[in-house]
């Protein structure tokens, strides 16, 4: 998995015949040049097709290296691996009804060639072709591993974009992208501190929320749009933020306001669509942002908020496990999307398979 944060590759070795499926992990950060090249492809620019294809090769090589490390470190033979579920790096996400598409860069053929293992990739296109948003896709996995028969649970994944999954005791599983997770926090931090993210939210804590700015940001129409909905860097980016700034704000106050924006939009999404959630489990890198988590607790005082670690899967690896699970679904010819979540007309087998 490599998510919208553009931080790197999360690779997991999983065995779904085990009650604790997560066997081994490997994280490979993107270097600054790769990150910048991928970020640049999120916007129109010269010779995009060539640059995208070359980067898709580069990502495949990085994924292959992460697979090699997982196998080396566990002593497992590639022939024991059923498949690699490989999300690729999203560079464009436009899930509109006519001419919708979502592009995740990775050369699946090259990854299969380099590893000798079957590769399942391009998970989102089929859902979009069936009238859906192509996102979020993790709720089906959350249902599989985290649902409880007597407790209303919500899973909140705070990646670049934040998404919630509602797992009600009675009723259908729902979920949607609620808005920015780390994306704006990271962008503002990179601009002012020249570091990729605000470790533990410490810089944000040093500032004060600007109430007028927070209200204006919260009034952005996406936040009140009913689901199904999904979003990405096309909508939430530094230019979007800049369009709300007067220019005289202290940088740390803007960061504090962005933390509040992320926390309040997540809390409002849960309150609006799943107020009965007794337990909330956090995953994704944003779960390490102490200031953000504190504010989430303040915004959702009736819910018990913990990390998914308490349910047996470390918060940093849930999304990677989800795409391994989706790959397994594809191999078994089983559907991977939840139409109630993505808005697809029906459930579909997701992904393109490159056999070993
Ligand atoms: N200790 C930390 N403190 C604050 N933020 C963190 C910390 N560790 C990770 N993050 C955030 O998590 C992000 C990566 O989260 P991740 O779940 O990989 O998102 P994505 O799925 O979008 O790649 C980083 O860019 C950073 O913003
Ligand atoms: Mg990531």
């Amino acid at each position: 998995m490599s998510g919208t944060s553009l931080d790197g590759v999360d690779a997991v070795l999983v065995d779904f015949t085990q009650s604790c499926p997560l066997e081994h992990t490997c994280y490979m950060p993107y270097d600054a040049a790769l990150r910048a090249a991928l970020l640049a492809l999120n916007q129109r620019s010269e010779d995009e097709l060539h640059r995208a294809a070359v980067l898709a090769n580069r990502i495949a090589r990085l994924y292959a290296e992460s697979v090699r490390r997982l196998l080396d470190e566990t002593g497992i033979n590639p022939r024991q691996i059923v498949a690699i579920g490989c999300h690729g790096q999203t560079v464009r996400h436009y899930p509109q009804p006519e001419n919708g598409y979502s592009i995740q860069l990775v050369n699946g053929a090259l990854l299969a060639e380099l590893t000798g293992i079957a590769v399942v990739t391009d998970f989102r296109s089929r859902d979009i072709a069936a009238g859906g948003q192509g996102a979020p896709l993790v709720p089906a996995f959350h249902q599989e591993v985290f649902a409880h028969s007597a407790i209303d649970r919500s899973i909140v994944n705070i990646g670049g974009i934040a998404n919630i999954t509602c797992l009600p005791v009675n009723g259908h599983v729902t979920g949607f992208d609620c808005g920015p997770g780390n994306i704006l926090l990271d962008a503002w931090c990179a601009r002012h501190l020249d570091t990729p993210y605000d470790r533990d939210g410490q810089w944000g804590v040093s500032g004060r929320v600007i109430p007028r700015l927070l209200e204006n940001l919260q009034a952005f129409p996406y936040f009140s749009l009913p689901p199904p909905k999904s979003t990405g860097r096309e909508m939430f980016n530094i230019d979007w933020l800049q369009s709300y700034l007067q220019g005289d704000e202290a940088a740390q106050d803007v960061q504090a306001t962005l933390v509040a924006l992320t926390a309040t939009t997540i809390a409002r999404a849960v309150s609006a669509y799943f107020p009965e959630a007794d337990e909330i489990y956090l995953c994704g890198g944003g779960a390490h942002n102490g200031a953000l988590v504190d504010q989430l607790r303040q915004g959702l005082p009736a819910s018990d908020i913990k990390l998914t670690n308490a349910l047996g899967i470390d918060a940093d690896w849930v999304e990677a496990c989800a795409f391994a699970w989706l790959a397994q679904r594809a191999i078994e010819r089983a559907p991977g999307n939840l139409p109630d979540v993505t808005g697809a007309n029906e459930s579909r087998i997701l992904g393109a398979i490159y056999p070993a």
Side-chain angles (χ1 to χ4, degrees), residues 36-52 91-94 96 101 103 233-235 237 239:
L38 290 166
L39 190 60
L41 268 183
N42 280 261
Q43 286 173 343
R44 71 173 65 192
S45 48
E46 183 136 348
D47 205 10
E48 289 161 338
L49 282 177
H50 171 73
R51 285 165 45 226
V91 289
R92 306 284 170 106
H93 182 66
Y94 289 101
Q96 51 269 60
Y101 66 91
I103 297 179
R233 286 186 180 273
E234 299 71 26
M235 192 172 278
N237 53 50
D239 294 335

Side-chain angles (χ1 to χ4, degrees), residues 137-267:
L137 296 180
V138 286
F141 176 70
H142 292 164
Q143 176 182 26
E144 174 81 9
V145 294
F146 296 140
H148 192 284
S149 60
I151 303 169
D152 290 306
R153 284 180 171 163
S154 178
I155 313 299
V156 177
N157 174 29
I158 313 175
I161 297 295
N163 59 271
I164 69 166
T165 302
C166 311
L167 302 170
V169 172
N170 298 307
H172 295 287
V173 175
T174 56
F176 55 91
D177 286 353
C178 29
N182 304 303
I183 213 167
L184 300 171
L185 299 172
D186 287 355
W188 193 249
C189 190
R191 175 167 291 190
H192 289 275
L193 301 188
D194 203 24
T195 56
Y197 64 90
D198 181 13
R199 183 169 285 275
D200 303 323
Q202 284 306 306
W203 184 46
V205 167
S206 74
R208 279 202 300 211
V209 173
I210 306 167
R212 170 198 51 79
L213 175 61
L214 179 60
E215 274 170 43
N216 290 342
L217 297 172
Q218 286 168 333
F220 184 66
Y222 181 84
F223 298 120
S224 47
L225 205 68
K229 60 179 179 177
S230 62
T231 186
R233 286 186 180 273
E234 299 71 26
M235 192 172 278
F236 296 107
N237 53 50
I238 195 100
D239 294 335
W240 177 85
L241 171 62
Q242 206 73 55
S243 72
Y244 287 88
L245 299 180
Q246 291 176 345
D248 57 355
E249 298 90 349
Q252 68 273 24
D253 292 349
V254 173
Q255 188 76 358
T257 307
L258 291 174
V259 174
L261 175 72
T262 299
T264 55
T265 50
I266 293 172

